[in-house]
Amino acid sequence: RLSAASGLNVAGSLLARDGGASDPHLPLLIWWAVEAHTLVDLDDTLRRFTAPVAWRSDLCRSAILVRLVRRLSAEKSREGDGACARLLTSAPSASLRRPLLTALDEAMRGRKTSSIGLELARLLIELADHDSAEVTLTRLAARLENPQAIERARAIAGGAHEREPDRVAMLDLLAEINDRPSVPLFLDLAANGENVAGPVRTAAFGALGRFEDEAIAAALLAAYPHWGEARRSQARDLLLNRDSWARALL
């Protein structure tokens, strides 16, 4: 069995050749070699994968760095989050950093704010403040209970001229963080918006299901007679998931 340094040396040599990104097996084989040694000497791992040579490799960026962020975030520790911060900081440009942010956004879903390391939290809020148009940064900062990011998330979710995938992503986020001030927005999109795109409306109904509030059922039932069958079906699916709401429907 190779030592951590030897294993990472072999992986580094393969990555330096920068070929095989489209190979169906090689990227994962290299990743498994890296992952096996990642935490043995974290400082050495970071030294290797924050270096400019790592960022110049297409194979390293696509197969290693995004997975490394997910793996380190999964530790849910100060050390793991600090390592994520170092990887993000090492990115030579915002465009190259973006896939790592997407990976981190996925990995941080459901984590409590108090469990996120201070170094990473400060970096994400700083990046979000400097690039308020970056949707993924807004999501990450909102998870950290940053008021400005939460306000931006609400504005995107309710913005008729925003990109549909961004609206859906923000509705999902606001529901995830149990943002109760957004409930009227969810209700408006679910119940009242005649020109609301189907995926946005579906996300709004899904968001309402995260809250226990009899007023939600009352508002939906008041609008129910005015809807077509498709929206009535969505409402029934939601209302029948809670006993008190189901009784009100029936």
Side-chain angles (χ1 to χ4, degrees), residues 31 34 38-39 42-52 54-55 60-61 64-73 79-94 96-101 103-104 119-120 123-124 127:
W31 164 243
V34 171
T38 291
L39 300 178
L42 185 55
D43 282 337
D44 184 42
T45 300
L46 292 173
R47 179 183 61 79
R48 295 169 185 268
F49 291 106
T50 58
W55 283 100
C60 186
R61 292 197 305 271
I64 304 301
L65 293 178
V66 292
R67 289 186 172 93
L68 194 55
V69 165
R70 285 197 291 263
R71 176 64 183 86
L72 292 168
S73 179
E79 293 78 11
D81 289 345
C84 288
R86 286 178 62 182
L87 286 168
L88 291 171
T89 302
S90 72
S93 68
L96 291 178
R97 184 188 297 121
R98 191 168 295 119
L100 274 65
L101 292 172
L104 185 62
E119 180 183 359
L120 179 59
L123 175 64
L124 292 174
L127 289 172

Side-chain angles (χ1 to χ4, degrees), residues 159-194:
H161 300 293
E162 300 287 346
R163 294 176 63 250
E164 181 183 299
D166 294 343
R167 299 184 71 186
V168 170
M170 290 308 180
L171 288 165
D172 176 66
L173 167 77
L174 293 167
E176 178 191 330
I177 65 175
N178 292 306
D179 185 49
R180 187 162 290 277
S182 291
V183 169
L185 169 63
F186 302 153
L187 277 170
D188 184 54
L189 293 173
N192 301 323
E194 291 303 322

Side-chain angles (χ1 to χ4, degrees), residues 9 13-14 24 37 43 71 96 143 164 202 223 227:
N9 282 339
S13 296
L14 291 171
H37 302 296
D43 282 337
R71 176 64 183 86
L96 291 178
R143 284 201 180 94
E164 181 183 299
T202 298
W227 295 337

Side-chain angles (χ1 to χ4, degrees), residues 18-169:
D18 203 20
S22 60
D23 185 281
H25 306 296
L26 185 60
L28 275 178
L29 288 172
I30 298 175
W31 164 243
W32 290 334
V34 171
E35 183 186 25
H37 302 296
T38 291
L39 300 178
V40 176
D41 187 343
L42 185 55
D43 282 337
D44 184 42
T45 300
L46 292 173
R47 179 183 61 79
R48 295 169 185 268
F49 291 106
T50 58
V53 65
W55 283 100
R56 286 195 293 269
S57 167
D58 290 339
L59 180 57
C60 186
R61 292 197 305 271
S62 62
I64 304 301
L65 293 178
V66 292
R67 289 186 172 93
L68 194 55
V69 165
R70 285 197 291 263
R71 176 64 183 86
L72 292 168
S73 179
E75 287 294 298
K76 299 181 180 180
S77 66
R78 180 178 60 82
E79 293 78 11
D81 289 345
C84 288
R86 286 178 62 182
L87 286 168
L88 291 171
T89 302
S90 72
S93 68
S95 62
L96 291 178
R97 184 188 297 121
R98 191 168 295 119
L100 274 65
L101 292 172
T102 300
L104 185 62
D105 185 40
E106 295 167 356
M108 285 180 60
R109 179 182 291 274
R111 280 188 66 177
K112 294 182 179 179
T113 304
S114 59
S115 75
I116 298 171
L118 187 58
E119 180 183 359
L120 179 59
R122 285 175 172 169
L123 175 64
L124 292 174
I125 290 173
E126 178 182 342
L127 289 172
D129 285 343
H130 281 85
D131 190 359
S132 59
E134 174 54 62
V135 170
T136 305
L137 279 171
T138 295
R139 283 172 54 87
L140 287 163
R143 284 201 180 94
L144 296 166
E145 301 178 0
N146 177 258
Q148 292 81 11
I150 293 173
E151 282 298 327
R152 289 198 297 271
R154 292 172 185 157
I156 292 171
H161 300 293
E162 300 287 346
R163 294 176 63 250
E164 181 183 299
D166 294 343
R167 299 184 71 186
V168 170

